[in-house]
Amino acid sequence: MNTNDFSLRHVGISELEATQMLQKIGVKSIDELISGTLPANIRLPHALDLPEAMTEREFAEHIADLASKNEVFTSYIGRGWYDCVTPPVVLRNVLENPVWYTSYTPYQAEISQGRLEALFNFQSVITDLTGLPLSNCSLLDEATAGAEAALLLYNERSKPKAKAKANVLFVDEQVFESTRNVIFTRAIPQGLEVVVGDYRTFEFTEAVFGAIVQFPNAEGEVCDYADFVARATAADAKVAVAADLLSLVLLTPPGEWGADVVFGSAQRFGVPMYFGGPSAGYIACRMEYKRTLPGRIIGMSKDRIGKDAYRLALQTREQHIKREKATSNICTAQALLATMSSFYAVYHGPEGLKHIARRVHSFAGYIAARLKDLGYVVRHSNYFDTLFVELPEGVSVEKVRSIAEECRVNFYYPHTGGVMFSLDETTLPSDLGVLCYIFGEAIGKESNYDGEYSEHSIAVDRKFLRSSQFLTYEVFNKYHTETEMMRYIKRLERKDISLIHSMISLGSCTMKLNAASEVLPLSNPAFCNVHPYAPADQVEGTMEMLENLKELLGIITGLPAVSLQPNSGAAGEYAGLRAIRSYHEANGQGHRNKVLLPASAHGTNPASASQCGYECVVVASDERGNVDWEDFMKKSEEHRDHLAAMMITYPSTHGIFETNIIDLCKRIHDCGAMVYMDGANMNAQVGLTNPGFIGADVCHLNLHKTFAIPHGGGGPGSGPICATRALEPYLPTHSQWQEIGVHDNVVAASPYGSAGVDVVSYAYIRLLGTSGLEKATRTAILSANYMAACLKDTYGIVYTGATGRVGHELILDCRKLRETTGVDESDIAKRLMDYGYHAPTLSFPVHGTLMIEPTESESKQEIDRFLEVMLKIWEEIQEVKEGKVDAEDNVLKNAPHPEYEVVADEWTHSYSRSKAAYPLPYLKDNKFWINVARIDNGFGDRNLIPAFCCCIAPSAE
């Protein structure tokens, strides 16, 4: 074994095992299998031209070299990103712990109770600090949260406003520019008119449905919005507020002064700046908006025995179910980062947070006083942590910048002049001395730092101070020592299944190995402690890595124009469609307003198209799961003059490579439209084919799938888009690069989106190289076909390709089981938990089925164990069918069986405890004990409890 070959560590199947699997499939070689799976006309004629694979040691040295090219200055830039302290107990036990970063989105609640509790805590932090009763469990960032807030206000218009077709949204000029720009991008295709102005002079009309302001605003001023909110309410308009979360520890929360929605970022609650992301965006609102609140809500319910349990509430709002009727483009949250922020709040508690907020504010007040003594003017008298300094005559911005950078300090320099800086949790008394020196030197005076500061002084008008309590619940007042915090995290960790326990077989989600060598850079301060607006000469290492990654992704996809800005797969879809829309508009084809969507397309595609302002035209599938050619030709002809694009997933979500994909693409181009290829299943393309070669114009990539970024329980995500040169001018841009026009596309708060985690994908590509990447793809296809061969005679495979093969995933047919046995796909999913496994993808893309994707990184031993379990469950189903066990009181209907039930003194079931808990021998050596029994979803929806808040009564529905 070549111990330097990383592919042998990543790919789980040995050559001998591959031979055995090929025999089961019925082919002689992997080449024969691949030739019988992929159409010959889409195969790449040459291998990818990528750099030679690195060893793990070589990559460690390479990434250390890149890190050394960054210079980490003290950042006072602010604008939504602030330096902070990630508690080491959270860094080591959560961010660097594969239990937390390899877990899947908690759709299967019974084996996700730990992360559900952590996210429930996050919601409680948000609701308490904002003063509003309902929050979701995170969004992508502050700017996209702002766009979601704008659409929420629109969707919640009163009946008179809707009747009047009110479509005007007011955005105050002191809302962060990054947020305003994303709101523009998202609002315009929805037919909304965005008006930017001064909240103090804005006049509400019948056409105005909502307004957005910032608290404190972009200049750091704490404004009194009471009169503005009253005027909005009188005009039947709703108000959303972008709020700094730490400031709400000290200042009266917007929910208490009339805001309908509050949104922002939880980054400064213990998450590094990461050159702009990832960190958890947040949104909170009134309880009556629960049906239009975007994203995922954690709620509390009961299990079948009556024990309290957490679950995802109101799940049918997810856009992969609502499709083109979805009111949100959000599929990916930032669960891992929200979890970190929730643990930050738990660790510090209300008193710790007050200490941090007061210290930051007091230091700002101290510096403001020193600046005034030196002869500077601080523009605003009410502030939290940010000062706008007006420079006296003779002091230039360039002079201040020069002195500051000599002191390794970064300020923010508004284009209107002056200097701004935001203090943060990391600011020390010695930093105050440096600040006094910089401004003193700039004006030609000695530093007036005297060290006589207070950590408890108040510099803001006391009418703004918070009087209400927050985080009074036990969890936030109990775990303040590292010992207790470590144990609490461990207690939650033990309630969750992740990749450290067993294979996660979800189809379409590619839960592959996130190798330690790939994720180690996430803790490197040289990468994670840099601000996205830091001067370019300070981030040369990060920029070199990102530019390298863009080039590599362009080669892999065959589409050379690459944007890393989209910070989730859904955001990538949206960005790709916006590029297409902008292209058509620029070429006099703005009337093209329809998108063809095969029924086999990825579930997020219709929502993205709808959010982009397109009308969805669904193309049927034939009996083999392919795009129905006759229906495709009919609808492409019917709509050809108004067709903007086709969105297609390849291989499709049915798990097959359609043989006529090139013909489909050519037909779309002949109609004057473009092809958007969903990259969710890129895991089956890399090295063998690619979207550019097939004929796509743009694709997005789920870096958290194919390219090994951890799923993190539902985020971090990264969804860059790759496009042809023709679309390059319309890819996402940012105000840091250029002046933004109304029709420019900005899809994330930071220029490079979730840049902090992109290093994982860079590592993945550099460690595997050309041959390793192709080997991974071939092995993924091998494993899927092996599983299909082993399960086809029991469950049956719903769709196979023209030659009887599946791609990298397979769909098990459970549709007839209910009528013949009373057992359904959900029962199978729950029973798998008793065996220590996460369920496959449930009832998607075909209702009544289970979709499995084994990935390339699982061993044959683990795949065989999973197959043994599936066949054992099949035997249990047959026992029900043959009447050997009770139709209701059986291991399938009662699954999963929690530990507290199995060890109870009383056992009332007609089957034995051992059959419930130890159906196969391996479980006696390695049993994952479940914490709760099957959860009552209906109860949780009828009695929505989304946070620890005694003021919220359960809402019957």
Side-chain angles (χ1 to χ4, degrees), residues 209-224:
F209 67 86
I212 297 179
V213 294
Q214 185 112 21
F215 182 78
N217 72 15
E219 290 189 353
E221 183 182 11
V222 176
C223 300
D224 185 349

Side-chain angles (χ1 to χ4, degrees), residues 382-414:
N382 288 301
Y383 48 81
F384 169 63
D385 62 355
T386 300
L387 303 178
F388 193 118
V389 184
E390 298 178 355
L391 303 181
E393 188 175 347
V395 179
S396 66
V397 168
E398 290 72 23
K399 187 173 184 180
V400 174
R401 185 199 297 263
S402 176
I403 298 168
E405 292 186 356
E406 285 179 7
C407 296
R408 299 181 65 81
V409 164
N410 287 331
F411 294 137
Y412 180 72
Y413 304 96

Side-chain angles (χ1 to χ4, degrees), residues 482-493:
E482 181 165 336
T483 304
E484 287 300 316
M485 188 66 191
M486 175 179 62
R487 289 171 181 163
Y488 177 60
I489 294 172
K490 187 67 176 181
R491 202 150 59 241
L492 297 192
E493 171 190 316

Side-chain angles (χ1 to χ4, degrees), residues 144-155:
T144 55
E148 293 294 340
L151 296 176
L152 189 158
L153 296 181
Y154 181 70
N155 290 322

Side-chain angles (χ1 to χ4, degrees), residues 729-874:
Y730 312 103
L731 297 186
T733 185
H734 198 275
S735 58
Q736 279 299 104
W737 299 330
Q738 65 182 58
E739 185 175 342
I740 300 299
V742 172
H743 295 290
D744 282 315
N745 297 320
V746 186
V747 297
S750 71
Y752 290 94
S754 293
V757 293
D758 287 348
V759 66
V760 178
S761 296
Y762 180 63
Y764 175 80
I765 297 169
R766 295 305 306 270
L767 286 166
L768 283 173
T770 300
S771 61
L773 288 169
E774 184 172 338
K775 180 180 179 181
T777 306
R778 288 168 168 263
T779 305
I781 293 170
L782 168 67
S783 295
N785 279 277
Y786 173 69
M787 293 189 80
C790 293
L791 295 173
K792 63 182 176 63
D793 295 331
T794 48
Y795 296 90
I797 311 302
V798 177
Y799 295 121
T800 56
T803 58
R805 304 291 176 217
V806 299
H808 66 306
E809 58 193 8
L810 58 145
I811 303 176
L812 299 186
D813 199 346
C814 308
R815 291 172 294 185
K816 295 181 180 179
L817 289 176
R818 183 193 291 271
E819 58 189 71
T820 59
T821 68
V823 175
D824 61 24
E825 69 282 358
S826 181
D827 296 325
I828 298 171
K830 301 304 182 187
R831 180 56 172 159
L832 273 164
M833 299 175 189
D834 285 328
Y835 290 88
Y837 279 103
H838 195 291
T841 303
L842 185 66
S843 286
F844 177 83
V846 180
H847 186 72
T849 64
L850 294 169
M851 183 163 62
I852 298 173
E853 181 179 354
T855 84
E856 74 275 4
S857 55
E858 292 298 342
S859 66
K860 182 176 183 294
Q861 178 184 2
E862 178 67 2
I863 291 173
D864 284 341
R865 182 160 71 111
F866 180 80
L867 289 168
E868 181 185 17
V869 169
M870 291 302 296
L871 294 173
K872 182 67 174 178
I873 291 175
W874 180 259

Side-chain angles (χ1 to χ4, degrees), residues 68 86 112 130 139 184-185 199 223 231 321-322 332 371 392 409 475 625 630 663 668 681 711 775 792 799 820:
S68 71
T86 304
S112 308
T130 60
L139 292 177
F184 270 119
T185 299
Y199 81 93
C223 300
R231 288 193 291 119
I321 298 172
K322 296 182 73 172
T332 306
L371 291 175
V409 164
V475 68
E630 185 177 334
D663 295 332
I668 293 298
N681 293 341
H711 195 85
K775 180 180 179 181
K792 63 182 176 63
Y799 295 121
T820 59

Side-chain angles (χ1 to χ4, degrees), residues 170-176 197-201 204 211-233 239-243 248 251-254 256-259 463-464:
F170 169 73
V171 180
D172 186 64
E173 61 193 6
Q174 289 300 330
V175 171
F176 285 144
D198 187 337
Y199 81 93
R200 291 168 296 188
T201 58
F204 286 91
I212 297 179
V213 294
Q214 185 112 21
F215 182 78
N217 72 15
E219 290 189 353
E221 183 182 11
V222 176
C223 300
D224 185 349
Y225 291 116
D227 178 65
F228 177 75
V229 172
R231 288 193 291 119
T233 302
V239 177
V241 179
L248 301 184
L251 304 176
T252 302
E256 293 183 14
W257 40 262
K463 72 177 183 179
F464 292 112

